[in-house]
Amino acid sequence: MNTLRLDTAELDLDFNATLKLATAIALHHLGDDTMLLSWYDRERDLESPAGVSECHEGCTTKGSWDYALNRGARLAVDFDSGRYTFCFL
């Protein structure tokens, strides 16, 4: 999976704004058939699909990342060193 890391701290983007930006990036790089597989919001400690980190307690790899890798994700967009992460197929 390719990872695009963006430093957007100075822009003060919230979750919804970063989701829109990540989706636009994925559409540009992967085409119209791209699909969001998983995401992680460190500030609220929320992830999708919900509960995928339960079996990753104590692991350095977040469950949302592992979920995407095991389902063929092609692009991850990481904002501000893991503040928000979105993985696309």
Side-chain angles (χ1 to χ4, degrees):
M1 175 168 46
N2 292 324
T3 303
L4 177 61
R5 291 177 174 83
L6 301 173
D7 181 3
T8 60
E10 292 180 15
L11 299 175
D12 196 31
L13 302 175
D14 64 6
F15 177 84
N16 291 326
T18 56
L19 174 58
K20 287 179 186 177
L21 181 55
T23 301
I25 290 167
L27 287 168
H28 176 76
H29 286 282
L30 303 176
D32 291 336
D33 63 341
T34 191
M35 179 177 75
L36 179 62
L37 282 177
S38 66
W39 55 263
Y40 178 66
D41 175 345
R42 184 176 62 209
E43 290 185 348
R44 298 181 296 167
D45 196 26
L46 294 175
E47 64 187 354
S48 178
V52 292
S53 286
E54 288 178 4
C55 58
H56 283 79
E57 290 293 323
C59 295
T60 57
T61 304
K62 294 300 294 176
S64 56
W65 186 271
D66 196 37
Y67 177 90
L69 280 174
N70 286 303
R71 282 158 182 80
R74 297 181 290 157
L75 177 67
V77 183
D78 178 356
F79 291 87
D80 306 321
S81 300
R83 180 177 172 218
Y84 303 113
T85 305
F86 304 92
C87 299
F88 296 87
L89 177 62

